[in-house]
Each structure stands twice: as C-alpha cells, then as structure tokens.
Amino acid sequence: MRLPNETASSWVLLTFASFSWSSLCAWAEFPDLKPTERAEIEKLAHSLKTHIDSLLKEARDTQEAQLFGRPSAQAKQNATLVLLKRRIDEALALVTIRLGGGSKKHPAVLSFLPGLLTGFSRAPIDQRPKRANEAAARLEAGEDFGERAALVGKLKDAAERAQQAIHANDGAQMGWSKERSEELVAKGRLRLELERVHRSLGALFPGQRDFVESFFLKGEKPSEGTSEDETAGTNEEP
C-alpha cells in the first residue's frame, strides 16, 4: 500500500480511504471468506469509517471557514475601512470650508486631522478607528458650525463599525486556523488508521499480498478494471 503524499489534500486522502472502506464492506459480504475473517473485516471497516467521518467533518468545517467565514469577515472589514475613509474625507472637506475658509493649512483644519489623509491612510489598520475617534473628539471640542454634530456622529459610527469588523476579521482568521489544525490532526489519524488496516489485513491473510493490496488504490485506480478501461475497450478497432 502506498498512501497519498502527506502534502496531498484531505479530499485526496478521503477518496483513498473511502475506496478501502468500501472494499472492506464488499468483502465482508462475500461467502468465500470464513465467518471469522468477515467478522474481523467488519471491525476494520467500522473503525476506518469512524476516522473517515472525523476527517470529513473537519475538512468541511475548514472549507466552510475558508469559503465563507474568512472572505465574509475580510469583506466586511474592507467595507468598513472604506466607509471610514469616506467619512473622514467628508469631514475634512466641511471642516476646511467652514473653519479653514477653504484652506487645509488653516490651524483649525490641521488641528482636526494632523497629517490630513496621508497620515490616516498609512496608519496600521487596527489604529485607524482610534485615530478617527480622536479626530471626532477634537472636532467636537473645537469651534462649532452647523454640520459639526452630524459629522462627529458619523465619524464615531464609522469608527465603531470598523473596530467591530477588525475584531471579527481577527476572530475569523483564528477560527480558520483552529479548524485547519483540527483537520490536520484528523488527517494524521486517518493515515495511521489506514496503515493499521493494512497491517491487520496482512496478518489476517498471510502470504496473500496481492489480495491485501486489492483493498487499496494504486495511485488513483483500483487493482482491477475501471469504467475508463471498459470504455476504452469498446472504442478499440475490431
């Protein structure tokens, strides 16, 4: 028996293991074997199926996190950061008009957003909500103008949304890592179980190497004919 490479996906190993489990189930039904042999094969089949089911669950959980959990959290984080920047843009434009007389170099404008958008956009992602809240606090404490209260509220709202999305994205990443770790453990256990099944069959049927090997795929194919072989045969010239 030659197991799939350790770097192969869980799905490759599951396909390999599923064939072996199905082979065990098939031989457990055949009267050619002794009742004691069939009983032992049934035990091997049950144990192998347990490990297959375990890896299948973990692989699906990892896939679910990879296809939906992580992308959803990343997209939400991205959207909230874009929203935050848009609201910073909006606030800067109004502060420039209302307090700076159209000049971004006016002290009131520079006080509201030091470094203007360059400093904000280059800040680490996890620091942007904090900087937006600080800007909102400076705006709230500064000179009043008609739209000030609305701008402060919008900045704080966007900062809160961004902060929550950043936390959620970190959680999704950690969740995926946890699922992946559990998948790798289940994958290793299934490989060990396949090796145990191989040894057990060898002990159950000593001197019948070809028979034992027939319970396992050779590469990606069974030891005897496949539907592809049969199809090829029907297409041969007479």
Side-chain angles (χ1 to χ4, degrees), residues 73 76-77 80 129 157-171:
K76 186 69 174 289
Q77 175 182 277
T80 57
D157 172 71
E160 177 64 21
R161 290 174 184 270
Q163 189 63 65
Q164 291 178 357
I166 291 169
H167 285 322
N169 187 51
D170 290 343

Side-chain angles (χ1 to χ4, degrees), residues 88 91-92 95 99 106-117 119-120 127-145 148-149 151-153 155-156:
I88 287 286
L92 177 60
V95 169
L99 301 182
H106 190 281
V109 180
L110 294 175
S111 173
F112 161 62
L113 197 63
L116 302 178
L117 290 180
F120 180 82
Q127 290 296 313
R128 293 180 196 177
K130 177 183 176 183
R131 294 198 179 191
N133 274 321
E134 290 172 346
R138 288 193 297 270
L139 179 60
E140 192 171 27
E143 184 179 345
D144 193 13
F145 58 93
R148 188 183 72 170
L151 287 178
V152 168
L155 283 176
K156 290 182 177 180

Side-chain angles (χ1 to χ4, degrees), residues 40 44 194-205 212:
E40 184 61 29
L44 293 174
L194 283 164
E195 292 174 350
R196 189 185 75 83
V197 169
H198 185 261
R199 289 194 303 270
S200 297
L201 289 173
L204 190 61
F205 303 105
V212 170

Side-chain angles (χ1 to χ4, degrees), residues 11-30:
W11 304 105
V12 171
L13 183 62
L14 283 166
T15 299
F16 183 95
S18 178
F19 177 86
S20 297
W21 171 72
S22 300
S23 296
L24 291 167
C25 292
W27 277 103
E29 298 175 355
F30 296 161

Side-chain angles (χ1 to χ4, degrees), residues 49-103:
K49 186 61 163 56
T50 298
H51 285 79
I52 289 174
D53 289 343
S54 177
L55 177 55
L56 183 59
K57 175 189 178 300
E58 298 302 341
R60 283 174 173 167
D61 287 347
T62 301
Q63 190 175 61
E64 183 80 10
Q66 184 170 346
L67 292 178
F68 302 105
R70 289 176 68 197
S72 176
Q74 289 171 344
K76 186 69 174 289
Q77 175 182 277
N78 183 71
T80 57
L81 289 172
V82 170
L83 174 67
L84 183 58
K85 185 176 181 300
R86 286 168 63 92
R87 291 191 179 177
I88 287 286
D89 281 339
E90 178 186 358
L92 177 60
L94 276 172
V95 169
T96 300
I97 293 171
R98 298 290 187 262
L99 301 182
S103 173

Side-chain angles (χ1 to χ4, degrees), residues 2 15-16 19-20 213-222:
R2 184 173 182 179
T15 299
F16 183 95
F19 177 86
S20 297
E213 293 301 323
S214 72
F215 285 80
F216 305 91
L217 288 173
K218 291 185 176 180
E220 298 180 356
K221 295 183 179 181

